[in-house]
Amino acid sequence: MSRFVQDLSKAMSQDGASQFQEVIRQELELSVKKELEKILTTAPSHEFEHTEKDLDGFRKLFHRFLQEKGPSVDWGKIQRPPEDSIQPYEKIKARGLPDNISSVLNKLVVVKLNGGLGTSMGCKGPKSLIGVRNENTFLDLTVQQIEHLNKTYNTDVPLVLMNSFNTDEDTKKILQKYNHCRVKIYTFNQSRYPRINKESLLPVAKDVSYSGENTEAWYPPGHGDIYASFYNSGLLDTFIGEGKEYIFVSNIDNLGATVDLYILNHLMNPPNGKRCEFVMEVTNKTRADVKGGTLTQYEGKLRLVEIAQVPKAHVDEFKSVSKFKIFNTNNLWISLAAVKRLQEQNAIDMEIIVNPKTLDGGLNVIQLETAVGAAIKSFENSLGINVPRSRFLPVKTTSDLLLVMSNLYSLNAGSLTMSEKREFPTVPLVKLGSSFTKVQDYLRRFESIPDMLELDHLTVSGDVTFGKNVSLKGTVIIIANHGDRIDIPPGAVLENKIVSGNLRILDH
């Protein structure tokens, strides 16, 4: 905790010291304002207006950060959402589809969150450019899905990518390859905010550049930034002018987040005649999802509560699968007109996520972020839809990558569906050890992706390689201890087996 924050909390605990606390806060805000003004003077003229908007956005976020005290939710006020505020997907699907699917689709814009790098999987550049299936990248699959929709229904659904300063250049270079696809592709950039020193709470950056020693001084402030950035880019007004009404927002690495015609129909033709401004797709928690944000009823409105907002004493209760049965998939359907209205009224309220980081030189910083789903409480007539697990298929690790590359899924027009040959609809639990973390190491260790149709659980640890046409069934645990190596031979069938020790197969 920084000295300033300690002073602040000490002041807050002393009765009548609120004036002192206010003085400290004002002084700090003034110092930050001066630093931001200094940084702005270093902006080249063609970047000035854009940089000014970014720094102004940061200043407002920082102001709110200083105002907020303690966890942002009062645990006593959290209630389970009313029955009708989270609808089962089956009920929405049962309504069927309208005759004029194309006129409904023409009201839609697909937005993919494309700000992340592939660093956690050992890749340089945007995560969306990692190959996930038959040489197709996340971006390829997204374009294929939307092109398939446009060709099938003779529509014009555009794709919008929200890039960050980390991904923008590389993404734009690759977009040329889709020039002949039947999808209009637009991009806009989320903001670029300065990281602040954890002790002084002042920006680390001394100028606007983000190369050399300044590389680590800036960050993209989380996907909650979509509302302001989309509005500021001019795209929001463009689409409203074209008669578009909803955006479908999702993470580009969630391969289950395809355009769902039943949900879209529910939005455009609501059964009670009253349109939803915000729909969040949620799905049932499993033991693997205990940290996921959950929908609650709070002060009469649906509210997304993330684990970071929960007072420490209630974290176990928050994680319980019995009390909070669902979590947010981050597949969101949002009214464009509502975003415009709320943005212009400055009425989108999202809790601040304080994310501590340590820079390469050892400096402790914090970055202030917001999450797109947290805005649900600002919209009218919000709804949760409890969707099948298949709509949540994120690829965060090579363990996830193994699942989507395997014969558990079949690929059709950019969409992955669970193979009909798998007898039960659950996805196996896969845990690959640290030797598999980087994509290139992972690919080197599999001569071909094993048959996993009958797999329940796979754990692999240590120096392990897989030959061609290996089949894994039931529970398989393979552990090579330090200094040992295990080569699973080509054509091996492992069913409910634990393999340990040393197994080398060398060419004769």
Side-chain angles (χ1 to χ4, degrees):
M1 190 187 278
S2 75
R3 246 190 341 268
F4 166 75
V5 177
Q6 283 171 338
D7 290 346
L8 205 56
S9 43
K10 202 183 289 174
M12 280 152 57
S13 64
Q14 292 162 0
D15 196 36
S18 59
Q19 285 168 317
F20 169 64
Q21 165 205 338
E22 189 54 41
V23 168
I24 290 181
R25 188 185 292 148
Q26 284 173 2
E27 276 181 16
L28 186 66
E29 278 206 62
L30 197 63
S31 302
V32 166
K33 188 169 177 259
K34 281 181 185 163
E35 289 294 316
L36 295 177
E37 282 166 359
K38 271 189 221 162
I39 292 170
L40 186 58
T41 61
T42 68
S45 54
H46 66 280
E47 278 182 25
F48 187 87
E49 192 183 342
H50 193 77
T51 307
E52 189 175 34
K53 274 183 180 168
D54 279 357
L55 294 180
D56 190 51
F58 173 76
R59 197 179 50 74
K60 286 176 182 162
L61 190 65
F62 186 75
H63 172 78
R64 278 182 48 219
F65 162 67
L66 293 184
Q67 301 293 330
E68 290 180 7
K69 310 176 187 79
S72 48
V73 290
D74 176 348
W75 193 254
K77 291 183 181 175
I78 287 181
Q79 298 169 314
R80 279 194 189 169
E83 286 298 312
D84 59 349
S85 65
I86 299 181
Q87 299 273 345
Y89 177 76
E90 293 69 33
K91 188 175 170 186
I92 281 163
K93 191 173 181 180
R95 294 185 59 213
L97 291 173
D99 299 333
N100 57 340
I101 291 176
S102 55
S103 67
V104 171
L105 267 172
N106 275 329
K107 302 288 185 190
L108 182 69
V109 176
V110 174
V111 181
K112 293 285 180 185
L113 304 172
N114 184 45
L117 293 167
T119 37
S120 63
M121 293 169 78
C123 293
K124 282 196 167 78
K127 186 174 180 184
S128 57
L129 306 184
I130 295 174
V132 281
R133 181 85 186 208
N134 314 346
E135 308 291 305
N136 287 304
T137 64
F138 290 104
L139 188 54
D140 290 337
L141 295 177
T142 301
V143 172
Q144 286 166 29
Q145 287 165 22
I146 300 175
E147 182 176 46
H148 178 67
L149 273 181
N150 284 337
K151 283 180 170 173
T152 306
Y153 298 105
N154 193 24
T155 50
D156 180 23
V157 177
L159 169 63
V160 180
L161 301 172
M162 179 166 92
N163 299 337
S164 66
F165 64 91
N166 290 321
T167 63
D168 189 54
E169 203 177 317
D170 290 339
T171 301
K172 280 181 175 161
K173 277 181 199 158
I174 217 89
L175 288 182
Q176 295 161 16
K177 77 186 239 196
Y178 307 115
N179 283 348
H180 303 295
C181 294
R182 191 171 160 179
V183 184
K184 282 189 194 143
I185 304 178
Y186 302 82
T187 65
F188 69 97
N189 263 3
Q190 63 186 115
S191 306
R192 182 164 74 95
Y193 282 1
R195 286 177 164 147
I196 51 180
N197 184 312
K198 195 177 174 189
E199 287 299 317
S200 67
L201 295 184
L202 294 175
V204 177
K206 295 291 170 255
D207 58 57
V208 292
S209 70
Y210 47 99
S211 53
E213 60 182 35
N214 240 1
T215 313
E216 290 191 301
W218 301 91
Y219 71 100
H223 42 54
D225 185 53
I226 186 172
Y227 303 105
S229 295
F230 192 39
Y231 179 85
N232 289 338
S233 72
L235 283 174
L236 178 69
D237 281 334
T238 300
F239 290 130
I240 288 174
E242 289 174 7
K244 305 291 186 192
E245 295 185 25
Y246 281 95
I247 46 175
F248 171 48
V249 181
S250 63
N251 299 354
I252 200 157
D253 65 6
N254 178 6
L255 294 176
T258 55
V259 171
D260 187 283
L261 297 174
Y262 297 101
I263 295 177
L264 181 60
N265 180 44
H266 186 83
L267 288 169
M268 297 299 300
N269 304 303
N272 63 359
K274 194 178 174 199
R275 283 203 179 177
C276 297
E277 290 188 346
F278 195 110
V279 164
M280 176 180 287
E281 293 185 38
V282 296
T283 194
N284 292 341
K285 265 188 192 180
T286 66
R287 298 274 167 221
D289 313 305
V290 290
K291 290 184 177 177
T294 194
L295 266 189
T296 62
Q297 173 92 346
Y298 193 88
E299 296 180 336
K301 287 215 136 180
L302 274 185
R303 177 155 173 170
L304 179 68
V305 176
E306 301 279 2
I307 194 161
Q309 296 165 247
V310 176
K312 281 197 172 61
H314 297 281
V315 166
D316 286 344
E317 193 181 340
F318 174 84
K319 287 180 176 178
S320 104
V321 181
S322 54
K323 181 162 184 181
F324 299 109
K325 295 184 166 67
I326 50 153
F327 72 96
N328 168 29
T329 63
N330 222 35
N331 301 347
L332 309 167
W333 304 75
I334 310 170
S335 154
L336 286 169
V339 173
K340 181 175 168 70
R341 181 190 80 235
L342 292 169
Q343 192 57 36
E344 288 176 350
Q345 293 170 352
N346 198 19
I348 295 179
D349 177 21
M350 293 170 284
E351 290 75 31
I352 295 173
I353 300 157
V354 179
N355 193 351
K357 298 264 179 189
T358 303
L359 304 187
D360 285 347
L363 181 69
N364 289 325
V365 296
I366 53 178
Q367 51 190 54
L368 306 178
E369 302 175 8
T370 55
V372 57
I376 188 168
K377 64 177 182 293
S378 302
F379 289 81
E380 293 302 318
N381 206 24
S382 298
L383 181 70
I385 297 180
N386 191 339
V387 296
R389 181 75 185 199
S390 57
R391 291 191 57 72
F392 184 67
L393 187 58
V395 180
K396 303 287 183 196
T397 62
T398 48
S399 301
D400 300 329
L401 196 54
L402 180 62
L403 290 167
V404 299
M405 287 177 111
S406 76
N407 60 347
L408 283 166
Y409 293 95
S410 53
L411 180 64
N412 182 20
S415 297
L416 288 182
T417 44
M418 179 79 74
S419 167
E420 289 174 1
K421 292 178 187 163
R422 181 155 173 93
E423 288 183 10
F424 23 89
T426 55
V427 179
L429 196 62
V430 172
K431 289 181 184 170
L432 299 178
S434 55
S435 309
F436 291 80
T437 302
K438 293 182 176 177
V439 172
Q440 65 213 46
D441 294 341
Y442 152 88
L443 291 171
R444 195 170 41 80
R445 290 178 179 278
F446 287 99
E447 273 195 59
S448 70
I449 302 296
D451 159 32
M452 291 166 45
L453 279 174
E454 295 177 45
L455 180 69
D456 296 323
H457 181 128
L458 172 67
T459 295
V460 183
S461 177
D463 186 0
V464 179
T465 63
F466 291 79
K468 277 194 170 151
N469 304 323
V470 170
S471 187
L472 305 171
K473 303 178 180 193
T475 296
V476 177
I477 297 169
I478 305 168
I479 297 175
N481 291 320
H482 186 66
D484 289 346
R485 174 167 157 180
I486 295 176
D487 296 335
I488 302 298
V493 177
L494 298 178
E495 182 166 6
N496 297 322
K497 292 280 184 286
I498 296 177
V499 183
S500 64
N502 216 351
L503 176 63
R504 298 296 311 270
I505 296 178
L506 302 171
D507 287 334
H508 183 50

